[in-house]
Amino acid sequence: MTEHHDAQDAAQDDDEVPADGLLEVLARRFLTTDAARPEKVARWHAKGRRTARENIADLVDPGSLVEYGRFVTAAQESRRDLADLVVDTPADGIIGGTATVDGRPCAVLSYDYLVMAGTQGMRGHRKSDRLIELAGRMRLPTVFFTEGGGGRPGDTDIPLVSALDVGSFALWAELQGVAPRIAVVSGRCFAGNAVIAGCADLRIATPDANLGMAGPAMIAGGGLGTFTPEEIGPVSDQAPNGVLDVLVADEAEAVEVVQQVLALLQGPGPRSAPADAKHLRSALPDNDREAFDVRIVVESLADPDTVLWLREAFAPELVTCFARIDGLPVGVVANQSTHLAGALTTGASSKAADFLDLCERWGLPVVSLVDTPGFMVGPETERTGLVREASRMVTAGARLTVPLVGVVLRRGYGLGAQAMLGGSTHRPHLTVAWPGAHLGAMGLEGAVRLSLAHELAAMPEDEREAAVLQHTAELRKHAHALNVARVFEIDDVIDPAETPAAIAATLRAASAVG
């Protein structure tokens, strides 16, 4: 791998033999590299894994890493020989520094699982404290590879009683809204390491990841049972419950996703060639009760190969992603009619609120694609805390200061549609509808049954459904997008093929970017 001032390269920089002091530095530096522990590295590679230094080297630009605290060792000199600590506990199991990714500054940290299972030592905490504080002061996007077993109980050189006087967690949490934080989770990530991952803005995980607030020893010690590491917080649990944002095949793909996200955070890229968006005119089924995959619409609106889906397994009735439209970075939120007809459940509301908050923190404009019958309602739904999460979604949308563009694709009904539009149809910078869209205070048939309840009850039973159909058809005409635009409850009804250009033009006007 390539490191800043690699020991071997440094020794070959000139023909002179280094002075004795420099020789010692270079020798000690070598002991912190993977080359100094070939057997451990070989066993790790045999498991299909990459070392902490290999992941960092793959992420950052060659030669750009300025490493902090590489010579730190575990605080265990009272129980172990110093020479052993120098060899066995390089960097106290956490590697970090500042670097660049594609020329853009960032901070990067990684627990080193080959050193005491990536546990958090007291000197390691001091290193992470130092780097996190610097990342905040310099406002550097920060990437943290979090694999490890949590707090380390064997550090005896620093007087401790509770070991709770540690700043890392508060400093890391305090970075929210100051600098973007991305966590990469591979293998076992328990206790304090899991908190670092959980506090990040974005969590990327490999299939072998296990993420939990305690590992097997702590669970057993609390009398809560005996479990293997693999039974605690596997991806099969942590993806559907919304803990994990992006699932990748391996660490190499995780690094690629991190690089994609960091590039997105840098703002507009090259403007894309005008796409032929005419196919959007036929993107929706003729029968508006028929479900369709809204992801195809999103992919059609976005620049090629720029969509990154988030939390796909959690609340699939709502989809979220990062993308670019005409070179502009955006966050996209959309109702997915293939799941629960696109109704906003408690999970979907939570997912939307989290995503809107993230876009606000990261300064990403939001594009909202609306096709929802509204919030899912009923006693069972209320038992899940819908009022809390639905209201949180409304609040997150209303508090947006980044540009918001709303596009009503088909159904925009009730409070759910309002929540998708920041609380009101005129809350976004632009609200448009496609020609076949309908908007209303609630689903049209439901509105008829509610408003005509007395009249329907008075009718002969065999006439009721025909009356409902007749009145629903009349209300459907009234709720048509053109009629909604006629009274200026939305800004325009547009040709679907015009959608990418309308979004890009509005975002450029709102952000004053060229």
Side-chain angles (χ1 to χ4, degrees):
M1 72 170 271
T2 301
E3 292 185 55
H4 182 72
H5 294 318
D6 180 89
Q8 294 179 344
D9 291 342
Q12 297 171 359
D13 279 347
D14 38 51
D15 296 331
E16 296 181 9
V17 176
D20 289 345
L22 180 56
L23 277 174
E24 182 181 5
V25 169
L26 295 178
R28 286 285 299 277
R29 180 180 285 172
F30 173 77
L31 291 177
T32 68
T33 67
D34 288 343
R37 48 182 183 177
E39 293 181 358
K40 287 184 177 180
V41 171
R43 288 195 295 269
W44 200 237
H45 286 171
K47 296 179 179 180
R49 299 297 308 282
R50 303 200 303 188
T51 69
R53 290 193 178 275
E54 287 170 334
N55 280 326
I56 291 175
D58 190 24
L59 172 65
V60 307
D61 298 333
S64 71
L65 177 65
V66 178
E67 187 170 344
Y68 286 62
R70 72 158 72 226
F71 295 128
V72 172
T73 58
Q76 298 183 4
E77 291 171 44
S78 63
R79 57 193 289 259
R80 296 182 60 180
D81 186 76
L82 177 59
D84 290 340
L85 293 172
V86 169
V87 173
D88 293 339
T89 66
D92 198 23
I94 181 168
I95 302 163
T98 61
T100 61
V101 174
D102 197 20
R104 306 177 184 96
C106 69
V108 59
L109 301 93
S110 178
Y111 293 112
D112 185 349
Y113 202 81
L114 299 186
V115 177
M116 299 183 179
T119 49
Q120 297 167 323
M122 296 310 296
R123 289 176 180 161
H125 271 306
R126 291 181 62 192
K127 282 175 59 175
S128 58
D129 292 356
R130 166 77 165 147
L131 282 165
I132 293 167
E133 188 274 332
L134 280 173
R137 196 191 314 172
M138 301 165 73
R139 295 186 176 270
L140 294 176
T142 303
V143 181
F144 212 137
F145 295 84
T146 61
E147 180 177 16
R152 183 191 306 154
D155 284 6
T156 54
D157 297 349
I158 300 174
L160 297 171
V161 178
S162 70
L164 300 180
D165 185 20
V166 170
S168 302
F169 307 117
L171 288 168
W172 181 240
E174 197 174 45
L175 269 190
Q176 179 170 297
V178 176
R181 302 160 303 160
I182 302 170
V184 177
V185 185
S186 298
R188 300 168 184 177
C189 182
F190 297 133
N193 296 60
V195 171
I196 294 294
C199 286
D201 296 305
L202 193 74
R203 288 164 293 280
I204 302 166
T206 58
D208 65 340
N210 289 85
L211 190 65
M213 291 300 292
M218 187 178 294
I219 294 171
L224 299 175
T226 302
F227 300 93
T228 65
E230 292 73 24
E231 292 179 286
I232 303 168
V235 167
S236 58
D237 291 341
Q238 302 289 30
N241 69 15
V243 168
L244 301 175
D245 295 294
V246 182
L247 299 183
V248 293
D250 52 29
E251 291 162 302
E253 187 180 354
V255 166
E256 292 174 1
V257 171
V258 171
Q259 292 168 333
Q260 180 183 352
V261 173
L262 291 177
L264 193 80
L265 292 174
Q266 296 305 309
R271 299 184 67 163
S272 62
D276 183 0
K278 293 179 181 177
H279 60 282
L280 287 170
R281 295 171 180 166
S282 57
L284 307 186
D286 293 333
N287 179 0
D288 64 6
R289 289 179 174 269
E290 182 180 339
F292 70 97
D293 189 349
V294 76
R295 293 175 299 179
I296 297 173
V297 175
V298 175
E299 296 274 4
S300 298
L301 291 173
D303 298 346
D305 302 319
T306 65
V307 175
L308 176 64
W309 298 106
L310 305 179
R311 299 172 93 177
E312 288 188 271
F314 172 55
E317 59 273 15
L318 185 92
V319 300
T320 54
C321 69
F322 297 140
R324 289 186 184 273
I325 296 178
D326 196 21
L328 300 174
V330 297
V332 180
V333 57
N335 305 113
Q336 176 62 290
S337 62
T338 58
H339 293 271
L340 301 176
L344 289 166
T345 61
T346 302
S349 301
S350 174
K351 181 177 181 178
D354 291 344
F355 182 70
L356 294 173
D357 284 342
L358 176 60
C359 290
E360 176 71 8
R361 290 198 301 273
W362 284 9
L364 291 175
V366 176
V367 176
S368 179
L369 306 180
V370 183
D371 178 30
T372 182
F375 285 107
M376 181 68 74
V377 294
E380 286 298 322
T381 299
E382 299 304 345
R383 292 187 184 102
T384 67
L386 176 65
V387 171
R388 179 191 65 247
E389 295 305 312
S391 301
R392 195 165 71 87
M393 177 184 175
V394 173
T395 301
R399 287 173 55 84
L400 287 176
T401 62
V402 296
L404 169 64
V405 174
V407 182
V408 182
L409 301 180
R410 189 167 62 165
R411 298 163 302 155
Y413 295 141
L415 289 168
Q418 286 177 288
M420 290 292 294
L421 296 169
S424 166
T425 55
H426 276 157
R427 192 74 181 185
H429 288 66
L430 176 71
T431 303
V432 298
W434 282 7
H438 295 82
L439 293 86
M442 62 183 296
L444 301 183
E445 183 177 325
V448 167
R449 292 184 184 277
L450 182 63
S451 63
L452 297 179
H454 294 298
E455 291 85 344
L456 291 172
M459 288 182 185
E461 187 173 347
D462 59 352
E463 297 179 11
R464 290 174 189 168
E465 290 308 309
V468 168
L469 289 175
Q470 177 188 343
H471 286 287
T472 299
E474 293 170 358
L475 183 58
R476 184 176 178 80
K477 293 179 182 178
H478 182 70
H480 191 268
L482 278 175
N483 204 38
V484 178
R486 182 183 64 81
V487 298
F488 198 49
E489 291 183 341
I490 58 175
D491 297 310
D492 201 2
V493 179
I494 65 172
D495 179 347
E498 299 170 348
T499 308
I503 292 171
T506 303
L507 296 184
R508 285 197 161 87
S511 303
V513 292

